[in-house]
Coordinates of all heavy atoms in Angstrom, one line a residue:
I181 N 27.9 52.1 -9.0 CA 27.0 52.0 -10.1 C 27.7 52.0 -11.3 O 27.0 52.3 -12.4 CB 25.9 53.1 -9.9 CG1 26.5 54.5 -9.8 CG2 25.0 52.9 -8.8 CD1 25.5 55.7 -9.8
N182 N 28.9 51.6 -11.4 CA 29.6 51.4 -12.7 C 29.1 50.2 -13.4 O 28.6 49.3 -12.7 CB 31.1 51.4 -12.4 CG 31.4 50.3 -11.3 OD1 31.2 50.7 -10.1 ND2 31.8 49.1 -11.7
V183 N 29.5 50.1 -14.7 CA 29.2 48.8 -15.4 C 30.2 47.7 -14.8 O 31.1 48.0 -14.1 CB 29.5 48.9 -16.9 CG1 28.5 49.9 -17.6 CG2 31.0 49.3 -17.2
E205 N 30.3 59.5 -24.2 CA 29.8 58.9 -23.1 C 28.9 59.9 -22.2 O 29.4 60.9 -21.9 CB 30.8 58.2 -22.2 CG 30.3 57.5 -20.9 CD 31.5 57.0 -20.1 OE1 32.3 57.6 -19.7 OE2 31.4 55.8 -19.9
V206 N 27.7 59.5 -21.7 CA 26.9 60.3 -20.9 C 26.9 59.7 -19.5 O 26.2 58.7 -19.4 CB 25.5 60.6 -21.5 CG1 24.7 61.5 -20.6 CG2 25.7 61.1 -22.9
G207 N 27.6 60.2 -18.5 CA 27.7 59.6 -17.2 C 29.0 58.9 -17.0 O 29.3 57.7 -17.3
T208 N 30.0 59.7 -16.4 CA 31.4 59.3 -16.3 C 31.6 58.5 -15.0 O 32.4 57.5 -14.9 CB 32.3 60.5 -16.2 OG1 31.9 61.4 -17.2 CG2 33.8 60.0 -16.5
L209 N 31.1 59.0 -13.8 CA 31.3 58.5 -12.5 C 32.9 58.5 -12.3 O 33.5 59.5 -12.5 CB 30.7 57.1 -12.3 CG 30.6 56.6 -10.9 CD1 29.6 57.3 -10.1 CD2 30.2 55.1 -10.9
G210 N 33.5 57.4 -11.9 CA 34.9 57.4 -11.6 C 35.7 57.1 -12.8 O 36.9 56.8 -12.8
G211 N 35.0 56.9 -14.1 CA 35.8 56.7 -15.3 C 36.1 55.2 -15.7 O 36.8 54.8 -16.5
Y212 N 35.2 54.4 -15.0 CA 35.5 52.9 -15.2 C 35.1 52.5 -16.7 O 35.9 52.0 -17.4 CB 34.7 52.1 -14.2 CG 35.0 50.6 -14.3 CD1 36.3 50.1 -13.8 CD2 34.1 49.7 -14.7 CE1 36.5 48.8 -13.9 CE2 34.3 48.3 -14.8 CZ 35.5 47.9 -14.4 OH 35.8 46.5 -14.5
S213 N 33.7 52.9 -17.0 CA 33.3 52.5 -18.5 C 34.2 53.3 -19.4 O 34.4 52.9 -20.5 CB 31.8 52.8 -18.5 OG 31.5 54.0 -18.2
T214 N 34.5 54.5 -19.0 CA 35.3 55.4 -19.9 C 36.6 54.7 -20.3 O 37.0 54.8 -21.5 CB 35.7 56.7 -19.2 OG1 34.5 57.2 -18.4 CG2 36.1 57.8 -20.2
L230 N 30.7 62.9 -20.2 CA 29.9 64.1 -19.6 C 29.6 63.6 -18.2 O 29.0 62.5 -17.9 CB 28.7 64.4 -20.4 CG 28.8 64.5 -21.9 CD1 27.3 64.8 -22.5 CD2 29.7 65.7 -22.3
E231 N 29.8 64.6 -17.2 CA 29.6 64.2 -15.8 C 29.0 65.5 -15.1 O 29.7 66.6 -15.3 CB 30.9 63.6 -15.1 CG 30.7 63.4 -13.7 CD 29.6 62.6 -13.2 OE1 29.4 61.5 -13.8 OE2 28.9 63.0 -12.4
L232 N 28.1 65.2 -14.3 CA 27.4 66.4 -13.5 C 28.3 66.8 -12.4 O 28.4 68.0 -12.1 CB 26.0 65.9 -13.1 CG 25.2 67.0 -12.3 CD1 24.9 68.2 -13.2 CD2 24.0 66.3 -11.8
E233 N 28.8 65.8 -11.6 CA 29.5 66.1 -10.4 C 31.0 66.4 -10.5 O 31.8 65.5 -11.0 CB 29.4 64.8 -9.4 CG 28.0 64.4 -9.0 CD 27.3 65.5 -8.2 OE1 28.0 66.3 -7.5 OE2 26.0 65.6 -8.1
Y236 N 33.4 63.9 -9.0 CA 33.5 62.6 -9.7 C 34.5 62.8 -10.9 O 35.3 61.9 -11.2 CB 32.1 62.1 -10.2 CG 31.1 61.7 -9.1 CD1 31.5 61.9 -7.8 CD2 29.9 61.2 -9.4 CE1 30.5 61.4 -6.8 CE2 28.9 60.8 -8.5 CZ 29.3 61.0 -7.2 OH 28.3 60.6 -6.2
G258 N 29.1 69.2 -16.0 CA 27.9 70.0 -16.1 C 26.7 69.0 -16.4 O 26.9 67.8 -16.5
D259 N 25.5 69.6 -16.4 CA 24.3 68.8 -16.8 C 24.5 68.3 -18.2 O 24.8 69.1 -19.2 CB 23.1 69.7 -16.7 CG 21.9 68.8 -17.1 OD1 21.6 67.8 -16.5 OD2 21.2 69.1 -18.1
A260 N 24.3 67.0 -18.3 CA 24.5 66.3 -19.7 C 23.7 67.0 -20.8 O 24.2 67.1 -22.0 CB 24.3 64.8 -19.6
V261 N 22.5 67.3 -20.5 CA 21.6 67.9 -21.5 C 22.2 69.2 -22.1 O 22.3 69.4 -23.3 CB 20.2 68.1 -21.1 CG1 19.2 68.7 -22.1 CG2 19.5 66.8 -20.6
F279 N 27.4 56.2 -25.6 CA 27.0 55.2 -24.5 C 26.2 56.2 -23.5 O 26.8 57.2 -22.9 CB 28.2 54.6 -23.8 CG 27.9 53.8 -22.6 CD1 26.9 52.9 -22.7 CD2 28.7 54.0 -21.5 CE1 26.6 52.1 -21.5 CE2 28.4 53.2 -20.4 CZ 27.4 52.3 -20.4
D281 N 24.4 56.6 -19.9 CA 24.5 55.9 -18.6 C 24.4 56.9 -17.5 O 25.0 56.8 -16.4 CB 25.8 55.1 -18.5 CG 25.7 54.1 -17.3 OD1 24.6 53.8 -16.8 OD2 26.8 53.7 -16.9
A282 N 23.7 58.0 -17.7 CA 23.5 59.0 -16.6 C 22.2 59.0 -15.9 O 21.6 57.9 -15.6 CB 23.9 60.4 -17.1
N283 N 21.5 60.1 -15.9 CA 20.1 60.2 -15.3 C 19.0 59.6 -16.2 O 18.7 60.1 -17.2 CB 19.8 61.7 -14.9 CG 18.5 61.8 -14.3 OD1 17.8 60.9 -14.0 ND2 18.3 63.0 -13.9
K284 N 18.5 58.5 -15.7 CA 17.5 57.7 -16.6 C 16.3 58.6 -16.8 O 15.6 58.5 -17.8 CB 17.1 56.4 -15.9 CG 18.0 55.2 -16.1 CD 19.4 55.6 -15.6 CE 20.5 54.6 -16.1 NZ 21.9 55.1 -15.7
Q286 N 16.2 61.5 -17.7 CA 16.6 62.5 -18.8 C 16.9 61.7 -20.1 O 17.3 62.2 -21.1 CB 17.9 63.3 -18.5 CG 17.7 64.3 -17.4 CD 19.0 65.1 -17.3 OE1 20.1 64.6 -17.4 NE2 18.8 66.4 -16.9
Y290 N 18.6 62.9 -23.8 CA 19.9 62.4 -24.2 C 19.8 61.8 -25.6 O 20.7 62.1 -26.5 CB 20.5 61.4 -23.3 CG 20.7 61.6 -21.9 CD1 20.8 60.7 -20.9 CD2 20.9 63.0 -21.5 CE1 21.0 61.0 -19.6 CE2 21.0 63.3 -20.1 CZ 21.2 62.2 -19.2 OH 21.4 62.6 -17.9
N308 N 20.8 50.2 -18.4 CA 19.8 50.1 -17.3 C 18.4 50.3 -17.8 O 17.6 51.1 -17.2 CB 20.1 51.1 -16.2 CG 21.5 51.1 -15.7 OD1 22.3 52.1 -15.9 ND2 22.0 49.9 -15.2
Ligands
LIG224 C1 25.5 55.0 -13.6 S1 26.7 56.3 -13.3 C2 27.8 56.2 -14.6 C3 28.7 54.9 -14.6 C4 29.8 54.8 -15.5 N1 29.3 55.0 -16.9 C5 30.5 53.6 -15.4 O1 30.0 52.5 -15.8 O2 31.6 53.6 -14.8 C6 25.8 57.8 -13.7 C7 26.7 59.0 -13.6 O3 25.9 60.0 -14.2 C8 26.1 61.2 -13.6 N2 24.9 62.1 -13.8 C9 23.7 62.0 -13.3 N3 22.9 63.0 -13.8 C10 23.6 63.6 -14.6 C11 23.4 64.7 -15.5 N4 22.2 65.4 -15.5 N5 24.4 65.2 -16.3 C12 25.6 64.5 -16.3 N6 25.9 63.5 -15.6 C13 24.9 63.1 -14.7 C14 26.2 60.8 -12.1 O4 26.8 61.8 -11.3 C15 26.9 59.4 -12.2 O5 28.2 59.8 -12.1

Side-chain angles (χ1 to χ4, degrees):
I181 50 175
N182 51 279
V183 297
E205 175 181 61
V206 182
T208 317
L209 194 67
Y212 187 72
S213 53
T214 319
L230 312 179
E231 175 54 52
L232 181 65
E233 298 292 338
Y236 293 2
D259 178 60
V261 176
F279 178 48
D281 193 21
N283 181 358
K284 280 60 196 169
Q286 291 185 327
Y290 300 161
N308 309 118

